[in-house]
PDB file of all heavy atoms in Angstrom:
ATOM      1  N   GLN A  11      -6.960  22.514   2.552  1.00 96.00           N
ATOM      2  CA  GLN A  11      -7.958  21.829   3.407  1.00 96.00           C
ATOM      3  C   GLN A  11      -8.906  20.990   2.584  1.00 96.00           C
ATOM      4  O   GLN A  11      -9.880  20.507   3.115  1.00 96.00           O
ATOM      5  CB  GLN A  11      -8.726  22.859   4.227  1.00 96.00           C
ATOM      6  CG  GLN A  11      -7.833  23.698   5.192  1.00 96.00           C
ATOM      7  CD  GLN A  11      -7.140  22.865   6.144  1.00 96.00           C
ATOM      8  OE1 GLN A  11      -7.705  21.982   6.831  1.00 96.00           O
ATOM      9  NE2 GLN A  11      -5.828  23.112   6.243  1.00 96.00           N
ATOM     10  N   LYS A  68      -1.918  21.630  -8.610  1.00 94.00           N
ATOM     11  CA  LYS A  68      -1.880  20.320  -9.305  1.00 94.00           C
ATOM     12  C   LYS A  68      -0.524  19.662  -9.134  1.00 94.00           C
ATOM     13  O   LYS A  68      -0.476  18.436  -9.111  1.00 94.00           O
ATOM     14  CB  LYS A  68      -2.205  20.517 -10.765  1.00 94.00           C
ATOM     15  CG  LYS A  68      -3.591  20.954 -11.098  1.00 94.00           C
ATOM     16  CD  LYS A  68      -4.680  19.998 -10.736  1.00 94.00           C
ATOM     17  CE  LYS A  68      -4.825  18.908 -11.736  1.00 94.00           C
ATOM     18  NZ  LYS A  68      -5.925  18.015 -11.427  1.00 94.00           N
ATOM     19  N   ARG A  88      -5.214   0.188 -24.505  1.00 95.00           N
ATOM     20  CA  ARG A  88      -6.256   0.446 -23.426  1.00 95.00           C
ATOM     21  C   ARG A  88      -7.262   1.395 -23.986  1.00 95.00           C
ATOM     22  O   ARG A  88      -7.273   2.613 -23.639  1.00 95.00           O
ATOM     23  CB  ARG A  88      -5.617   0.961 -22.194  1.00 95.00           C
ATOM     24  CG  ARG A  88      -4.572   0.058 -21.523  1.00 95.00           C
ATOM     25  CD  ARG A  88      -5.191  -1.076 -20.759  1.00 95.00           C
ATOM     26  NE  ARG A  88      -5.462  -2.204 -21.567  1.00 95.00           N
ATOM     27  CZ  ARG A  88      -6.306  -3.185 -21.343  1.00 95.00           C
ATOM     28  NH1 ARG A  88      -7.067  -3.185 -20.251  1.00 95.00           N
ATOM     29  NH2 ARG A  88      -6.450  -4.193 -22.186  1.00 95.00           N
ATOM     30  N   MET A 128       9.500  12.161 -24.287  1.00 98.00           N
ATOM     31  CA  MET A 128      10.740  11.430 -24.014  1.00 98.00           C
ATOM     32  C   MET A 128      10.397  10.119 -23.274  1.00 98.00           C
ATOM     33  O   MET A 128       9.373  10.018 -22.586  1.00 98.00           O
ATOM     34  CB  MET A 128      11.619  12.226 -23.063  1.00 98.00           C
ATOM     35  CG  MET A 128      12.062  13.617 -23.595  1.00 98.00           C
ATOM     36  SD  MET A 128      13.138  13.460 -25.104  1.00 98.00           S
ATOM     37  CE  MET A 128      14.588  12.839 -24.335  1.00 98.00           C
ATOM     38  N   THR A 137     -10.417  11.612 -16.393  1.00 95.00           N
ATOM     39  CA  THR A 137     -11.067  10.934 -15.240  1.00 95.00           C
ATOM     40  C   THR A 137     -12.553  10.893 -15.451  1.00 95.00           C
ATOM     41  O   THR A 137     -13.168  11.770 -16.083  1.00 95.00           O
ATOM     42  CB  THR A 137     -10.732  11.705 -13.924  1.00 95.00           C
ATOM     43  OG1 THR A 137     -11.069  10.851 -12.811  1.00 95.00           O
ATOM     44  CG2 THR A 137     -11.400  13.017 -13.859  1.00 95.00           C
ATOM     45  N   GLN A 161      -3.102   0.525  -4.749  1.00 98.00           N
ATOM     46  CA  GLN A 161      -3.598   0.678  -3.364  1.00 98.00           C
ATOM     47  C   GLN A 161      -2.830   1.759  -2.700  1.00 98.00           C
ATOM     48  O   GLN A 161      -1.592   1.772  -2.700  1.00 98.00           O
ATOM     49  CB  GLN A 161      -3.429  -0.606  -2.544  1.00 98.00           C
ATOM     50  CG  GLN A 161      -4.109  -1.859  -3.203  1.00 98.00           C
ATOM     51  CD  GLN A 161      -5.627  -1.892  -3.036  1.00 98.00           C
ATOM     52  OE1 GLN A 161      -6.165  -1.151  -2.221  1.00 98.00           O
ATOM     53  NE2 GLN A 161      -6.260  -2.639  -3.861  1.00 98.00           N
TER      54      GLN A 161
END
Side-chain angles (χ1 to χ4, degrees):
Q11 298 301 311
K68 296 293 281 184
R88 300 282 86 201
M128 301 295 290
T137 193
Q161 301 287 341

